[in-house]
Structure formats: C-alpha cells, structure tokens
Amino acid sequence: MNGKIDSPDTGTATPAIHRGAEPVIIEHVRLLDPHAQIDVVADVSVERGAAQVLEPGAEAAGVRRIDGEDLWLMPGVVDLCARLQERGQTDQSSFTRETSAALARGITVLCLPSDTRPCIDDPSMVTRVQDISAAAGGAQVLPLGALTQGLEGSALAEMDALKRAGCVGVSNAGRPLADARTARRALEYAAGLGLTVHVQPQDASLAAGGCAHDGAVACRLGLPPIPVAAETVALAQWLALVEDTGARVHFGRLSSAQGVRLVAAAKARRLPVTADVAAHQLFLCDEDIEGFDAQCHVIPPLRDRADRTALRAALAEGTLDALCSDHQPREPDAKTNPFPMTQPGISALDTLLALGLRLVAEGVLTPLQLAQRLSAAPAAVLGGSRRSDAAAGWILIDPAASWRLTPDSMLSEAHNTPFLDQPFRGLTRRVFLPPADHKCAG
C-alpha cells in the first residue's frame, strides 16, 4: 500500500495522525535518530512510539506500508516554551486549538510555563492543565510548576507537591525573585527533589521599562533600551549559585554572545546547566524593528547582528542545547499601540520546524543536529529518557515542500508574527504517536 501524500503545499493540509500500537513500515525513508546518531536511508518500522531499521530483505506480511522516498523520519519536536493563550488562561478551546496546531506542525510535546492564570503553584492547577490537555487531543502538554507562591518572588512554592502532581520542572516564568538568598534557597530545595529550575535570565532592574536592544537602532528610534548586561548579570548570579548548590538549571531564550560565552564557560567547568534559544533570534536582529514594527517586539529583545551570528554558532556546536518556539499568542490589538506600549511575543508554533529546516538549508545545522536540537536535547532537559522520547513519537516530514505563511495557512489562532508572507520549505506529512498508555517521563 502506497501511503505517500500528494496534496497542494498550501501549508494548511493536516497531516495524518497515527495513534496506537499498529506497526507501520516506511520504505526508503531518511531516518534521523539523534539517540543512536543514525542518519541513513532505509526501510523503517514504527511501532508503539519506537522506530527500528529493518534488515534488507526482511518480510512483514500484512503490515501497512508507506512510501518514504525523499521524506525524513525524526522524533517528534519537543518545544521547551509555549504559552497557549493570551494572558495565560487555561480553557478547553484554546488548548484544543493550539495543541492541534502544534501537532500538525510536528510538535508532539509542549512545555507550558508556570505563568498561567491562575499560576501553576498548586497541585490542583497541575491536574487542571493535565485534564484539559488530555481532552484537547493534540500535542502533549507538560507543565512547569511555580518556583515561588503566586510567582511573587518571595515565599517558595510547594515544589514537592508540584512534582508529585506531574510538573517536569519549576520556574518563576521571567518574574523576578526578591533577592539572591531566595534564589539560593529555591535551588537547594529543587536540587533535593531532583527538579530542574528553568530560568529566563534577565535582571529586572537593568531591564525595567525597556523594550529594545541597547544599540544604535533603539537610540535612533528613541526606544527605552534593555542592555546585554541585563542578561549577563542575571546569568552570572545564577551560575554562581549553581556552583554553590549543584542544582540543575536550564537557561531559556538566551539572546546574546556574552550570555553564550558565560554558558560555555560554565559547561567547561562541568556545571549542570543547559540552555536554549528561540528560533526567531536566529533570523532577526534589532534592525528589524525599524519603522517601529511591533511584530518584532520580543523579550528578550532582538540583539545585533553579531549576537545573532554567535547564537547560530552556539546552537551548531551544542553550547545552546535546544531550539524552542517561545510561542506567545497575542490578540491583534496587542500589537497596534506605539512600540513601547505593545505586548511582546510571537505566534511561533507554525514556524518552529520550518525555521529549523531553514537553518539546515543555510548550512548552520546538519539534519541530524536539527533532530538533536528539536527533539532529543529538549526531552533530556525535561527529565527525559529513551522511554519518554518514545512517548513523543515520530514525525514524517517533507523537507522540500514549499509553502507560504499567510493568515489563511497559519494553524495557530494568533497571527502576531514578523514572518507573515514569507516562503518556507518543510511540512509535516504524518505523525506517529504511541498508544495512550505511554506517558512522557517527568
């Protein structure tokens, strides 16, 4: 049976979703397995969330076969930061819409920051997120618990209860902590529980009131600046506390060359740290806010060209472990005010895999490195193992399929993106998910 899809590449076609234990053989497919470091064209069997290369001449009577010629098979994308609705609400309609959009774009696991409304500082909120996610039926949602009660930065949250309820880590979601002593106590508590602390490094006092990179563009436009030091001062403090406590920390959404150097030095000292970068930081820079383009208003801000080049190099060499979407859906009016008054964020589920494939086309990453940065590495940050990666499933993508990002082709409800009307290559054709009894480890 030939299961290859021949549909117009409008970007709107919904991929076939395979759920369950029935084995499928994909013939002549390029397998990208970052765990086994395999990049090979072969016949591959996918069953219960696991992929296995078949020996030449192996027979499998009665098994469904799919033509994989010119297609890639890789683990499902694990997105380390995705908010699912404006202002952080957790309702069924938004979860259904956004997790379905994610799954159609090859993202099978989403990590939800703790700043929902109400925030995830209580086991009942963890249960609510899990129940809504399960009912939504799209990408699996894994919540981060709050580091402090109410994300207010002072009293620590009940991290033990949050972990037992199902949180895969803890974070204050970009909100400042009261002081370094609170941060140290939080790391000690998390370390004792084996929890990873997720940090978006930004010194609140240095960033206060800012909305753009502290450089020539912001100066010319008269925009309040956020200096690189806002990132590096915060990074330096957290790294000193990691060295003191031994706690695992993941630094999310780095934006600067100096920040990358600090993380590289920490890894050279074998500190237990990892880091990611949002995909938009690798294609945009502060020059893109010319004309006060609010679609390019993000936090951390777009830095200069040298920072963008350094981020790309760091992702290629592994200093930056993972690539994420930093999906932040916004209502249209959130981007219509004067630049400093607009809400930061990009609707990014539709473009994460496509921008990753653009990095491959530009020679920044190899296809196998892309699978590592989008799948295996972020799964490991979330406490993953080979079993949890199996729960993320596999995706069959057509790397050559061309399409254009338009309001009609966007699957996410929100359209706040600077990539609108740009051409892309790469579409998810099929998604292979394990049976429902598989759970992603946390």
Side-chain angles (χ1 to χ4, degrees), residues 243-263:
E243 195 157 23
D244 196 34
T245 62
R248 289 199 313 267
V249 171
H250 176 75
F251 294 109
R253 280 68 69 203
L254 292 195
S255 68
S256 69
Q258 291 185 41
V260 163
R261 285 194 288 271
L262 286 173
V263 170

Side-chain angles (χ1 to χ4, degrees), residues 25-29 41-45 52-55 57-58 65:
I25 293 177
I26 309 172
E27 300 175 327
H28 313 301
V29 71
V41 175
D43 291 352
V44 179
S45 172
Q52 181 178 357
V53 175
L54 296 177
E55 294 295 330
R65 292 178 176 269

Side-chain angles (χ1 to χ4, degrees), residues 118-371:
C119 70
I120 307 175
D121 67 349
D122 182 271
S124 64
M125 268 303 294
V126 182
T127 301
R128 174 176 169 77
V129 166
Q130 292 170 332
D131 289 347
I132 295 175
S133 171
Q140 186 177 7
V141 177
L142 302 179
L144 295 178
L147 195 64
T148 61
Q149 295 177 22
L151 299 176
E152 294 177 356
S154 51
L156 299 184
E158 293 293 337
M159 298 183 210
D160 184 29
L162 292 172
K163 178 182 179 180
R164 284 187 277 107
C167 286
V168 293
V170 287
S171 169
N172 227 49
R175 310 282 181 85
L177 297 183
D179 49 40
R181 182 179 181 182
T182 302
R184 189 179 191 281
R185 288 174 50 233
L187 289 182
E188 289 175 331
Y189 189 4
L193 295 170
L195 279 170
T196 298
V197 177
H198 292 238
V199 173
Q200 185 170 337
Q202 181 167 275
D203 183 274
S205 62
L206 287 171
C211 63
H213 170 60
D214 188 6
V217 176
C219 182
R220 184 168 59 255
L221 298 179
L223 295 174
I226 300 177
V228 168
E231 180 166 287
T232 56
V233 165
L235 267 170
Q237 176 175 286
W238 282 104
L239 288 171
L241 295 175
V242 168
E243 195 157 23
D244 196 34
T245 62
R248 289 199 313 267
V249 171
H250 176 75
F251 294 109
R253 280 68 69 203
L254 292 195
S255 68
S256 69
Q258 291 185 41
V260 163
R261 285 194 288 271
L262 286 173
V263 170
K267 288 188 170 187
R269 300 200 309 274
R270 300 189 180 278
L271 296 185
V273 298
T274 51
D276 70 51
V277 62
H280 57 257
Q281 293 281 2
L282 305 179
F283 295 92
L284 304 171
C285 65
D286 61 342
E287 297 169 20
D288 290 293
I289 69 173
E290 289 281 10
F292 301 97
D293 185 356
Q295 300 297 350
C296 294
H297 182 190
V298 292
I299 298 295
L302 300 173
R303 302 293 181 184
D304 63 25
R305 290 191 180 196
D307 288 306
R308 182 179 63 187
T309 299
L311 292 170
R312 284 179 161 222
L315 185 68
E317 69 189 15
T319 299
L320 293 174
D321 301 83
L323 185 65
C324 76
S325 74
D326 196 17
H327 177 64
Q328 295 187 62
R330 299 293 188 189
E331 299 292 341
D333 60 3
K335 294 287 188 179
T336 58
N337 290 316
F339 191 98
M341 299 173 62
T342 59
Q343 295 296 311
I346 290 175
S347 177
L349 296 179
D350 284 278
T351 53
L352 176 56
L353 179 58
L355 287 174
L357 289 166
R358 187 179 287 181
L359 290 173
V360 173
E362 294 178 3
V364 178
L365 298 176
T366 67
L368 190 58
Q369 285 177 324
L370 179 67

Side-chain angles (χ1 to χ4, degrees), residues 30-42 51 53 73 367-368 371 386:
R30 184 174 183 179
L31 174 65
L32 303 170
D33 185 343
H35 297 285
Q37 287 296 294
I38 290 175
D39 180 353
V40 65
V41 175
V53 175
L73 180 69
L368 190 58
R386 195 166 182 93

